[in-house]
Amino acid sequence: MDTPTLPVLERIASALERLSPPPATLEGVDKADAFVWLPERGRLLPVPHVAHVPVDLLCGVDLQRKILIENTEHFARGLPANNAMLWGARGMGKSSLVKGAHALANQVDGKPCAPGKGAIALIEIQREDLATLPLLLSLLRENLRRFILFCDDLSFEKEDRDYKALKSVLDGGIAGRPENVLFYATSNRRHLMPRDMIENERATAINPSEATEEKVSLSDRFGLWLGFYACEQDTFADMVRSYARERNLTIDDENLMARANEWAITRGSRSGRVAFQFIEDLTAELTEH
């Protein structure tokens, strides 16, 4: 066969696969403790190593950390637990807390379990794939493992209808939510939709009290609703010092904080993410010298 025809045949095969995708399966679900859901392939892509920050390094979120860890550990032990929405300021550790709580729940005597042996498997689902949640749940329902579905940076726009799929999951639908599945999400929006959109729909609706009830009430369906707020200067300082101690950086506190504050000013904000980025840069600089 002529080599130039191979790319054409490959594109044809790819198109046919999209038209008739293979049956969905959980093959390999016992080989890892974290996955990414690929609905177009009906598969879970294993994630051998989840990049996470140890939860004890997350500063300024003590109450949120305590609540989410307890909820996750209850779920790991087969006890009742709630779906959780983590909303609020950017860079304040929402997704880090979810991944850190998952890692903590999968430890035994302070050490990580062997791959595939953790109490909970974390499955990341992309915002644009929410419509495939019923398919994923139908697979998970019949499995013996416990799963946390995780959607990072969740929000909806005016013409978006995917929130109905998520609402069905949170409500449970006619079959009920699978006992072995929880849903964790993070968002920068308190009600998962822009404030101007809420106000506009209320102002133009015949019945303003009902115009946005369906969408706004979606956030109320999360049993845990944890807020994250912009940090003060003292909290930012605690974050910087915590990361510096963890890295064993040889720098005096006065110099450390002077440089951290300068870094924050150039970024125009203070947050856990900014503190971590500063420590990354400082670590590289000190290592070179």
Side-chain angles (χ1 to χ4, degrees), residues 196-221:
D196 60 348
M197 174 182 161
I198 297 174
E199 294 174 349
N200 181 64
E201 290 197 12
R202 284 175 175 165
T204 58
I206 296 175
N207 190 336
S209 65
E210 297 180 358
T212 57
E213 180 180 354
E214 185 175 28
K215 291 181 181 178
V216 174
S217 66
L218 177 60
S219 58
D220 295 335
R221 285 169 164 77

Side-chain angles (χ1 to χ4, degrees), residues 58-69 84-98 185-190 224-231 239 271-272:
L58 300 176
C59 299
V61 292
D62 294 349
L63 180 60
Q64 299 93 322
R65 177 173 56 200
K66 177 178 181 295
I67 292 173
L68 192 71
I69 288 176
M85 165 60 69
L86 291 71
W87 67 273
R90 292 178 173 85
M92 285 304 294
K94 299 185 294 295
S95 60
S96 294
L97 183 53
V98 170
T186 69
S187 179
N188 297 323
R189 297 172 178 172
R190 184 174 184 179
L224 294 182
W225 206 33
L226 306 176
F228 291 68
Y229 307 95
C231 69
M239 293 171 175
S271 70

Side-chain angles (χ1 to χ4, degrees), residues 27 38 45 51 60 70 75 95 140 150 157 159 163 167 186 190 208 214 219 228 244-245 250 271-272:
E27 181 182 357
L38 303 177
L45 176 66
E70 287 182 351
F75 181 61
S95 60
L140 301 181
F150 175 44
E157 303 302 331
E159 301 302 326
Y163 70 89
K167 179 182 287 189
T186 69
R190 184 174 184 179
E214 185 175 28
S219 58
F228 291 68
R245 284 194 301 269
T250 55
S271 70

Side-chain angles (χ1 to χ4, degrees), residues 141-156:
R141 188 184 297 275
E142 305 302 324
N143 196 272
L144 296 178
R145 295 200 74 178
R146 306 183 75 75
F147 302 92
I148 290 178
L149 304 186
F150 175 44
C151 185
D152 197 18
D153 200 17
L154 177 63
S155 63
F156 298 99

Side-chain angles (χ1 to χ4, degrees), residues 176-197:
R177 174 171 61 85
E179 182 273 337
N180 64 330
V181 176
L182 278 187
F183 191 89
Y184 284 3
T186 69
S187 179
N188 297 323
R189 297 172 178 172
R190 184 174 184 179
H191 290 297
L192 303 178
M193 54 192 291
R195 180 178 297 276
D196 60 348
M197 174 182 161

Side-chain angles (χ1 to χ4, degrees), residues 4 19 29 37 52 87 103 133 147 177 204 207 249-250 266 282:
L19 291 173
V29 73
W37 170 236
H52 72 276
W87 67 273
L133 272 173
F147 302 92
R177 174 171 61 85
T204 58
N207 190 336
L249 299 184
T250 55
T266 62
L282 182 61

